[in-house]
Amino acid sequence: MSDFLPDSVVERILLKLPHTALVRFTSVSKPWNSLISSHNFIVQHSLSNPIDPLILTFHSTRSFLSTFCIDPSLTFTPIDSPSYPFSLRFLQSVHGLVCLHHAHNVILWNPSINKHFRIPAPTLGPAAGIGFGFDSKNHDFKVIRIVHSCRVELYSLNQGCWKDIDVPLEVDLSLKFSDTPCFLNGNVHWLVYHDDIYGDEKHILMFDVEEEKFGKLEFPAKLVKALFMNLKVTVIGDNLSVLNCKSRRDWCDIWMVGYHGVWNKMYSFNIVGGRGISNVFGLSSKETVIVLRQDPEEEESERTYFSMHSFTYQSELVEFFDVEGEVSSVCEYTPGSLFLLDKA
Amino acid sequence: MAEKASPSSNSISLKTVDGKIFKVSPAIANQMLTIQPLIKDSDSSTIISLPDVAAFHLTKIIEYLEGKPAAAPSAVDAFEAQFVKDLSPEELKGLLIAVGYLKVNGLVDLMANTVAKLIENKSVEYVRKFFGVVNDFTPAEEAKCRQEHAWAFDGVDED
């Protein structure tokens, strides 16, 4: 790797480099290429270089992507977006790798190195619930699908294949999933309810991606009667949170789980005007949520207008920021990751 | 600084490849992990030879170990920034070899960071020359690799 330095010193230097330089230096020589593209190096580099997250927003009406960075004063600044050759929705991003999906298609995309990996078609039918997470013991990304026929399959990026997972008792045909899971502390979390004769009991279904086992978390008692479509489970500033947004109204409650699994209603905020909150996305950084408000339609226009706002719970400030078109999907990701560099 | 080893105090004598002898305190010598085991067995008349270290580099290493502030991370940062400020790429290389050989506490990381900063916007050719790497790609293989990652070659410094 060098005619005068031990390999271990060269490796230490390379671990300090930003991802762009490393990708460029895969052309230095075969040993450099092998080191930089090795799974161990990718994991070490991608987990040890913290960079502030960016916000990706996908505009379904015109199929384009915008990227924002949030500076310390919490203004959203548009920056150059990576090319986005997909029409899929964001599911989740973990360690700089964005999982996109639509129907049977699941793609893992690393915007930092402009590389994507199409996961082989799953073996089972349509999914009721889908999740994405990182197994930090085996340094492995995993996609989990819970299908209507009450079977569960898991894809491991390291193993490169789907396999069946034992189905716990609580996963049955009547279980309905929220469309946006979140990943926190090694677990995928979905908001679920049983749509059957026994009523509409809601809870949070968890999947530990390392142990590959399901778990269950009780739901805020006061939200049990809330309309399922108005609820969202998300991560806000590293806290597992449930958002309750009244449709066609302009307020939203944020519930957070504290010690011993006790839920507390922490914040309520208003976004006055418009025709109600249409969607809310939590951000794990900056203690912020992004709120989409549906705005009054302009005359002679067939399009629906949305405006984007941020709510920061520590300062309880609501701020408006400008974004074009209808935003259908928002995702936060950490740039600088090398994951997928080793994939053909 | 260089002088003959004399059986006085309990200082350690280190001899560089260019024949100079440096006397350092055990506290300083002990931070060079490679010579640690030799210190235990040496008495005040022992001279430890350092085949990979020139006087210039050992002077810098001692300057670092003696001058580094004990506390306050901001003071350490300022000291380290000053320490590497005027090093040429060639001096950096030499120091990196010496520091890597002696395994000097803290300094390996500082050197790695400094070299990383130096090369992060450099071309592939610059890096090959700097590290003395032989390009073992065929022209076709290299062209393919570069084309695959063409975006990573934007905005590279002139050599």
Side-chain angles (χ1 to χ4, degrees), chain A residues 65-81:
Chain A
L65 191 77
S66 334
T67 310
F68 299 90
C69 63
I70 316 177
D71 69 16
S73 63
L74 280 166
T75 43
F76 287 66
T77 314
I79 56 169
D80 282 348
S81 290

Side-chain angles (χ1 to χ4, degrees), chain A residues 177-340:
Chain A
F177 287 79
S178 60
D179 62 344
T180 51
C182 66
F183 181 72
L184 180 71
N185 300 333
N187 282 273
V188 179
H189 300 76
W190 298 268
L191 206 61
V192 294
Y193 78 108
H194 284 280
D195 181 20
D196 61 17
I197 53 167
Y198 304 109
D200 58 354
E201 189 225 344
K202 300 178 182 79
H203 65 266
I204 290 173
L205 182 69
M206 297 162 60
F207 181 75
D208 183 326
V209 292
E210 182 185 316
E211 298 292 327
E212 301 183 353
K213 284 199 166 64
F214 283 92
K216 187 177 171 178
L217 185 69
E218 288 309 324
F219 202 66
K222 286 198 170 157
L223 290 186
V224 165
K225 295 287 173 204
L227 212 57
F228 189 70
M229 59 174 290
N230 293 339
L231 298 172
K232 229 174 213 313
V233 61
T234 189
V235 178
I236 305 173
D238 283 336
N239 299 297
L240 187 66
S241 310
V242 170
L243 304 168
N244 179 22
C245 297
K246 281 261 186 170
S247 61
R248 295 267 164 174
R249 294 275 294 277
D250 49 13
W251 58 268
C252 177
D253 294 336
I254 302 178
W255 292 72
M256 288 183 178
V257 67
Y259 294 113
H260 313 297
V262 178
W263 288 95
N264 292 305
K265 186 163 106 177
M266 303 291 285
Y267 304 94
S268 281
F269 62 88
N270 266 35
I271 300 221
V272 185
R275 294 164 55 204
I277 290 170
S278 95
N279 213 340
V280 181
F281 307 93
L283 300 179
S284 63
S285 65
K286 311 284 187 190
E287 294 83 29
T288 299
V289 289
I290 292 182
V291 187
L292 290 183
R293 187 187 66 183
Q294 200 175 346
D295 286 343
E297 285 153 47
E298 287 179 19
E299 281 178 45
E300 295 168 36
S301 167
E302 290 176 2
R303 284 186 46 212
T304 315
Y305 286 86
F306 291 87
S307 59
M308 234 167 142
H309 306 256
S310 66
F311 170 75
T312 304
Y313 77 73
Q314 280 181 339
S315 59
E316 305 206 13
L317 270 179
V318 173
E319 287 188 54
F320 167 79
F321 58 101
D322 209 13
V323 60
E324 277 179 80
E326 179 183 347
V327 174
S328 64
S329 200
V330 171
C331 175
E332 174 184 35
Y333 90 101
T334 316
S337 153
L338 288 176
F339 284 113
L340 295 187

